[in-house]
């Protein structure tokens, strides 16, 4: 890729040419002009000649693909950065290997220093059990250690960390030698995160945002809240993003609001909404997702944090304040509570006002035809994570262990959501699953349950334009004149178009289809390599050759 500069200026005008531009404005576009942070023109190579003498910069794409930058609609930025730079157990293949990693990492910390790690998953280990407190005490050298399960809804800790939390044994979710959940988990998390200095926090945030930019992600939705992080972490991240040279950060603060004063305080924090991980329930992996029928491998139905009345109150106040509301809901009982609460709010305020607010639900895994229809009725955005199915779906996966194969097959029904007209926004829930946008699109297109698969084009749209629409913006996430110039350049193989009817052909490379092509994401194929990420016309990341 080569560049030439015609002249300098405060608002640079850039011509990109000689590549493939993914734009609904012109399915055959090979060139694009960016001016004052927005797309000014897309079109053919021949027409690009008319712009060449009037721009500040010309970029020869050398065949690269240009697409809208991705939006990851559910991220925990600081935790992602800590996992990237610290103790990450997501690739540990056994309990023994995990303990060895804890031992090695802890040895690099002073005695008494708090150690934070993430990503253990006993369901993947041959031992099929979590590390005991005694094992962690030994491996950490008796240091305070906080180690979250991969879903971040439970944690194992050492005795030294429990000693920093007086009264923890009296809190809900405490068990002497089992993963902590609920209030006990939140208490030890606060104690562990209190040990992170502002400098460490900023380094973690920068690491996460730089990694996102290197993957062609131009925007992340930070899902924060009092049970997840703290206000200082949230406001510091928003300030860092405003300084430039990083992906955009749209912040959500997951705290229930009961009156206009609460709503005003959420706005003052800089949040786009009182949404994100406002917990209606927990997770399937930690047995805390709230179900109508008991788990297949546990004699209970999980944990409910909010009922329909509390959900209705939150949605009502947020709607009246012009603020997005949203919830974390995974289990079928939790999703029933959400739609009942939103329905009650709509009966109070009117359906049109609730629909216009574009409230959202994170994860939304155990949907039924009835709850899908309610999502469509109330225009609820489903903020979903296809990598969950890739990691835990299938006949032998964790979902089947927790629910039984029959119930597990109903999870994450993306095709049914799209058929019903439910808005989709794709994300990772990083660090629960990695930042990996093309992998996320592939996971949606090649869902482990075939009837839930959607086209690559639909998944790509949900991971670009869908994230913008989830924030109330319909004019972004697409390369058309007037849209924000958030885009990425990719090195990839041949571009293909998925045919709408598998009886004809699953893939088409015929340019006469008039549909912009996308990379062939068939499992086993190499994913595209990001060469550059641009936000508002400013380059925030460039691949170093």
């Amino acid at each position: 890729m080569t560049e030439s500069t015609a002249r300098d200026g405060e608002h640079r005008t850039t011509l990109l040419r000689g590549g493939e531009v993914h734009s609904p404005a012109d399915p055959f576009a090979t060139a694009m002009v960016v001016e004052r942070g927005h797309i000014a023109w897309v079109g053919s190579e021949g027409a690009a000649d008319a712009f060449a003498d009037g721009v500040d910069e010309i970029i020869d794409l050398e065949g690269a693909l240009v697409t809208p930058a991705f939006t990851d609609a559910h991220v925990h930025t600081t935790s992602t950065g800590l996992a990237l730079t610290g103790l990450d157990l997501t690739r540990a293949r056994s309990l023994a290997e995990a303990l060895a990693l804890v031992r090695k990492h802890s040895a690099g910390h002073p005695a008494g220093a708090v150690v934070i790690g993430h990503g253990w998953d006993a369901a993947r280990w041959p031992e099929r059990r979590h590390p005991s407190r005694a094992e962690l005490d030994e491996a950490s050298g008796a240091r305070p250690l906080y180690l979250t399960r991969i879903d971040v809804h439970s944690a194992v800790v050492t005795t030294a960390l429990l000693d920093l939390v007086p009264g923890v044994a009296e809190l809900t979710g405490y068990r002497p030698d089992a993963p902590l959940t609920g209030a006990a988990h939140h208490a030890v998390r606060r104690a562990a995160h209190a040990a992170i200095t502002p400098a460490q926090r900023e380094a973690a945030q920068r690491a996460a945002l730089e990694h996102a930019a290197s993957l062609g992600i131009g925007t992340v939705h930070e899902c924060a809240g009092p049970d997840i992080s703290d206000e200082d972490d949230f406001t510091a991240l928003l300030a860092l993003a405003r300084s430039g040279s990083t992906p955009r950060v749209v912040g959500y603060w997951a705290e229930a609001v009961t009156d206009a004063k609460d709503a005003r305080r959420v706005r003052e924090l800089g949040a786009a909404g009182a949404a994100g991980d406002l917990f209606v329930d927990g997770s399937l992996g930690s047995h805390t997702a709230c179900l109508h029928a008991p788990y297949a491998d546990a004699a209970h139905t999980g944990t409910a944090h909010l009922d329909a009345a509390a959900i209705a109150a939150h949605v009502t106040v947020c709607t009246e304040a012009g603020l997005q509301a949203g919830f974390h809901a995974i289990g079928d009982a939790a999703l029933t509570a959400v739609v009942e609460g939103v329905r009650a709010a709509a009966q109070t305020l009117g359906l049109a006002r609730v629909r216009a607010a574009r409230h959202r639900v994170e994860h939304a895994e155990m949907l039924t035809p009835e709850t899908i229809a309610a999502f469509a009725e109330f225009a609820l955005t489903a903020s979903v994570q296809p990598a969950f199915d890739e990691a835990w779906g299938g006949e032998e996966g964790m979902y089947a262990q927790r629910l039984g194969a029959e119930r597990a097959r109903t999870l994450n029904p993306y095709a049914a959501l799209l058929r019903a007209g439910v808005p989709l926004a794709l994300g990772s829930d990083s660090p629960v699953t990695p930042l990996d946008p093309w992998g996320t699109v592939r996971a949606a297109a090649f869902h482990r349950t075939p009837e839930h698969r959607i086209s690559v084009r639909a998944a790509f749209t949900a991971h670009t334009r869908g994230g913008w629409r989830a924030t109330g913006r319909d004019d972004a996430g697409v390369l058309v004149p007037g849209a924000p110039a958030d885009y990425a350049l990719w090195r990839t193989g041949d571009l293909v178009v998925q045919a709408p009817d598998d009886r004809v052909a699953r893939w088409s490379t015929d340019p006469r289809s008039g549909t912009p092509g996308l990379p062939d994401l068939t499992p086993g194929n190499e994913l595209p390599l990001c060469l550059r990420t641009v936000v508002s016309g400013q380059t925030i990341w460039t691949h170093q050759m």
Side-chain angles (χ1 to χ4, degrees):
M1 185 176 305
T2 57
E3 304 178 21
S4 62
T5 299
R7 63 177 186 271
D8 294 327
E10 183 180 357
H11 299 288
R12 300 178 64 79
T13 300
T14 301
L15 169 63
L16 299 90
R17 64 185 306 178
E20 300 282 348
V21 179
H22 184 87
S23 172
D26 184 346
F28 311 113
T30 61
M32 181 171 78
V33 173
V34 173
E35 186 174 22
R36 296 179 179 270
H38 289 77
I39 308 300
W41 172 86
V42 294
S44 66
E45 192 63 28
D49 291 335
F51 294 94
D53 291 336
V55 299
D56 303 302
E57 180 183 35
I58 298 174
I59 297 177
D60 182 354
L61 295 170
E62 299 179 2
L65 170 66
V66 187
T67 72
F70 286 100
T71 293
D72 192 308
H74 193 121
V75 174
H76 303 286
T77 306
T78 302
S79 295
T80 297
L82 291 172
L84 287 169
T85 60
L87 176 54
D88 183 3
L89 299 184
T90 55
R91 291 180 174 81
R93 293 166 293 184
S94 66
L95 171 60
E97 185 175 329
L99 290 171
L101 290 170
V102 170
R103 191 173 291 110
K104 179 180 179 180
H105 186 81
S106 298
H109 288 69
V114 174
V115 179
I116 297 175
H118 165 74
W120 61 272
D121 186 0
R124 297 179 178 178
W125 295 343
E127 299 92 343
R128 293 284 178 171
R129 69 172 180 86
H130 62 82
S132 70
R133 191 187 305 170
E135 289 169 328
L136 292 176
D137 285 347
E138 184 279 326
S140 67
R143 292 170 176 83
L145 171 68
Y146 171 69
L147 201 57
T148 50
R149 189 185 181 280
I150 193 165
D151 59 8
V152 199
H153 283 270
S154 59
V156 289
V157 300
T158 56
T159 303
L161 182 59
L162 289 175
D163 290 343
L164 299 178
V165 189
V168 66
E170 309 303 319
L171 297 176
T172 302
Y174 176 84
R175 291 175 291 173
D177 197 24
L180 303 178
T181 61
H185 177 209
H186 298 160
V188 298
R189 175 160 49 196
R190 281 192 293 271
H193 285 182
I196 300 173
T197 67
Q200 290 171 322
R201 179 179 63 209
E202 181 179 340
Q205 292 172 346
R206 287 189 181 279
L209 292 175
E210 181 176 355
H211 183 56
S214 75
L215 298 169
I217 297 172
T219 301
V220 300
H221 294 182
E222 166 68 11
C223 291
D227 289 333
I228 301 167
S229 53
D230 58 46
E231 292 183 9
D232 288 344
D233 181 273
F234 183 63
T235 56
L237 175 63
L238 296 182
L240 176 62
R242 285 193 299 271
S243 69
S245 74
T246 74
R248 301 173 189 267
V249 175
V250 178
Y252 287 95
W253 184 251
E255 186 167 9
V257 300
T258 58
D259 54 31
K261 181 179 179 181
D262 288 345
R264 186 163 54 252
R265 197 180 70 80
V266 170
R267 284 196 186 282
E268 290 170 351
L269 286 174
D277 279 334
L278 181 53
F279 296 118
V280 179
D281 68 346
S283 73
L284 292 166
S286 292
H287 291 99
T288 52
C290 190
L291 314 181
H292 283 305
Y295 283 87
D297 61 350
H300 63 82
T301 57
T303 305
H305 297 298
L306 294 174
D307 60 15
I311 291 165
H314 180 75
V315 171
T316 299
V317 174
C318 287
T319 304
E320 289 178 327
L323 193 66
Q324 263 189 305
F327 306 93
H328 161 118
I330 286 178
D332 51 2
L335 288 160
T336 296
V338 169
V339 299
E340 288 177 351
V342 177
R343 179 171 287 110
Q347 289 169 350
T348 299
L349 301 171
L351 178 61
R353 289 186 68 186
V354 169
R355 286 179 59 88
R358 302 196 188 191
H359 303 310
R360 53 190 283 171
V361 182
E362 309 302 315
H363 316 309
E365 294 198 80
M366 288 187 72
L367 289 158
T368 64
E370 292 75 21
T371 48
I372 290 172
F375 269 51
E377 179 184 3
F378 303 126
L380 297 175
T381 295
S383 170
V384 298
Q385 297 75 39
F388 286 10
D389 172 74
E390 182 180 42
W392 302 306
E395 297 295 311
E396 306 297 327
M398 182 270 289
Y399 290 153
Q401 296 170 27
R402 294 290 186 268
L403 301 172
E406 184 176 350
R407 275 193 294 177
R409 289 189 204 103
T410 69
L411 265 60
N412 302 301
Y414 304 140
L417 285 164
L418 285 183
R419 283 195 299 269
V422 176
L424 284 186
L426 269 52
S428 63
D429 197 9
S430 179
V432 176
T433 57
L435 297 168
D436 180 15
W438 285 114
T440 295
V441 172
R442 178 159 63 187
F446 294 91
H447 197 295
R448 288 181 180 272
T449 304
E451 59 262 36
H452 299 330
R453 293 174 178 172
I454 59 177
S455 70
V456 167
R457 183 183 180 193
F460 177 80
T461 299
H463 212 349
T464 49
R465 197 169 193 178
W468 283 92
R469 285 173 166 168
T471 68
R473 291 281 300 273
D474 292 331
D475 62 337
V478 61
L479 301 182
V480 297
D486 288 23
Y487 60 90
L489 312 185
W490 307 92
R491 179 187 300 152
T492 187
D494 291 339
L495 304 183
V496 296
V497 176
Q498 189 172 7
D501 189 340
D502 282 357
R503 292 173 299 178
V504 177
R506 183 164 183 82
W507 299 105
S508 170
T509 57
D510 186 347
R512 293 172 298 174
S513 67
T515 301
L518 285 167
D520 184 347
L521 301 183
T522 302
N525 285 358
E526 188 174 350
L527 294 175
L529 173 69
C530 184
L531 303 175
R532 179 178 301 199
T533 306
V534 177
V535 172
S536 288
Q538 301 298 313
T539 298
I540 62 168
W541 190 84
T542 302
H543 177 65
Q544 300 299 315
M545 303 299 290

